Amino acid sequence: QVQLVESGGGLAQAGGSLRLSCAASRRTFGSYTMGWFRQAPGKERDFVAAISRAGITKYADSVKGRFTISRDNAKNTVYLQMNGLKPEDTAVYFCAAREIPGVVDGTHEYDYWGQGTQVTVSL
C-alpha cells in the first residue's frame, strides 16, 4: 500500500504560478509511474500529466507548455509546476501512483490516489 499526500494548492491569479507536491510513503516510490489528475465541480476526473520512473513525461494538451511534472526519488516526491494559470485550471488536483511501468493517462490505470488539493484561479 502506498499513501500519497498532496500539498501546495491554493488561490492564484490568472497568469500566476503554483507548485504542487505529492509525497509518497513507500521507499519503492522510485519504481512507480506517477501522475497528476484534476477534477472540476460536476466534471469527471481528467488526466493532467504523468512521469515514468525513468523520467519520461506525458501531458494533456490543455497544459502542454504551461505545466511541468518532475520527481525527486530521493525525497519520494513528485511535483507539478503550474505556470500561466487560467481560470479553467480551477479544480481539485490529485496525485496517483501506478505499479506497472508505462506512462498512461487513464484513471483506471493507477493503483493509489491521494486525497487531493484545491487549486483556484481567479481573473
Side-chain angles (χ1 to χ4, degrees):
Q1 192 76 4
V2 177
Q3 292 185 333
L4 303 172
V5 179
E6 302 97 335
S7 61
L11 179 65
Q13 289 189 327
S17 299
L18 285 173
R19 188 195 196 200
L20 305 183
S21 299
C22 172
S25 63
R26 289 285 296 271
R27 293 181 180 178
T28 52
F29 167 83
S31 67
Y32 295 128
T33 291
M34 301 299 297
W36 285 99
F37 291 76
R38 65 187 181 186
Q39 188 167 17
K43 296 188 177 181
E44 294 184 350
R45 191 169 298 188
D46 292 330
F47 171 75
V48 175
I51 185 167
S52 73
R53 58 184 180 180
I56 297 170
T57 59
K58 181 176 182 177
Y59 295 93
D61 289 342
S62 59
V63 306
K64 279 181 182 177
R66 300 189 297 123
F67 291 9
T68 302
I69 189 171
S70 62
R71 66 190 299 162
D72 185 338
N73 291 338
K75 296 182 178 179
N76 290 355
T77 302
V78 63
Y79 304 97
L80 186 68
Q81 178 66 44
M82 305 186 294
N83 298 328
L85 284 164
K86 304 176 180 180
E88 51 263 44
D89 294 319
T90 295
V92 177
Y93 283 70
F94 297 90
C95 173
R98 168 181 163 89
E99 292 183 341
I100 300 173
V103 180
V104 295
D105 58 13
T107 56
H108 65 284
E109 297 175 291
Y110 286 79
D111 303 296
Y112 307 104
W113 292 85
Q115 294 299 307
T117 184
Q118 177 70 47
V119 170
T120 303
V121 183
S122 63
L123 287 171

